[in-house]
């Protein structure tokens, strides 16, 4: 592994961290530093939508705070397959989110899965042009 590959892998890891921090903190404008403008995003396995970034970003800003006002991701192993200015990335995640039921009791909904990103090097740095959220398990 040479220095350029190490730098690419570090920058890709930073994109993954920006993604989870944007989702968890509700700073959805930060997602502009994660996705290309023409990115396709698929959240259907967790009950969400599949659409272009321009439709998914406002959907996230509306739906996530309404259903899950507190969110926290943990990323596990990350597999990066680099091919020049493109990369296929698989990042394992655990995402517990507390929710309050109609009766006022709190429970935790958890998702475990793999984020599959197709990334591309842009003039602004690495960005995801496709995200598929694969749900491996969930607990409610």
């Amino acid at each position: 592994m040479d220095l350029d590959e190490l730098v690419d892998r570090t920058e890709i890891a930073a994109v993954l961290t920006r993604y989870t921090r944007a989702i968890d903190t509700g700073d959805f404008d930060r997602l502009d530093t994660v996705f290309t403008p023409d990115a396709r995003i698929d959240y259907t396995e967790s009950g969400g939508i599949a659409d272009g970034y321009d439709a998914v970003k406002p959907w996230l800003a509306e739906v996530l705070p309404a259903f899950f006002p507190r969110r926290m991701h943990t990323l596990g192993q990350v597999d990066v397959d680099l091919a020049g200015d493109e990369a296929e990335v698989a990042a394992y995640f655990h995402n517990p989110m507390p929710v309050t039921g109609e009766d006022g009791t709190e429970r935790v909904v958890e998702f475990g899965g793999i984020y599959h990103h197709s990334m591309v090097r842009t003039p602004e740095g690495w960005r995801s042009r496709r995200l598929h959220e694969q749900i491996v398990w969930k607990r409610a």
Side-chain angles (χ1 to χ4, degrees):
M1 190 176 306
D2 65 12
L3 182 58
D4 289 337
E5 183 174 346
L6 287 171
V7 170
D8 287 339
R9 289 176 180 277
T10 300
E11 290 177 1
I12 288 168
V15 172
L16 297 172
T17 299
R18 286 197 309 271
Y19 171 75
T20 58
R21 292 287 298 148
I23 295 294
D24 293 348
T25 64
D27 183 3
F28 298 105
D29 286 337
R30 192 174 189 188
L31 293 173
D32 295 345
T33 70
V34 172
F35 293 103
T36 61
D38 63 343
R40 301 291 302 171
I41 302 168
D42 183 350
Y43 291 124
T44 55
E45 289 189 34
S46 61
I49 65 171
D51 209 330
Y53 176 62
D54 60 339
V56 171
K57 180 183 170 184
W59 177 83
L60 286 169
E62 177 183 343
V63 171
L64 280 181
F67 286 95
F68 304 106
R70 294 175 294 159
R71 299 167 299 277
M72 185 185 83
H73 277 84
T74 302
L75 292 176
Q77 63 260 35
V78 176
D79 182 45
V80 177
D81 184 13
L82 282 166
D85 291 337
E86 298 183 0
E88 292 300 317
V89 180
Y92 286 58
F93 72 87
H94 176 223
N95 183 208
M97 298 172 285
V99 296
T100 303
E102 291 180 15
D103 63 357
T105 61
E106 185 175 271
R107 64 187 173 92
V108 176
V109 175
E110 295 178 86
F111 292 95
I114 305 169
Y115 291 127
H116 297 277
H117 287 274
S118 293
M119 293 199 183
V120 62
R121 187 191 321 270
T122 73
E124 295 79 31
W126 285 94
R127 298 291 185 267
S128 177
R129 66 177 170 205
R130 183 189 62 82
L131 166 62
H132 172 240
E133 178 189 61
Q134 176 190 2
I135 300 300
V136 175
W137 61 269
K138 63 182 177 178
R139 179 174 28 206

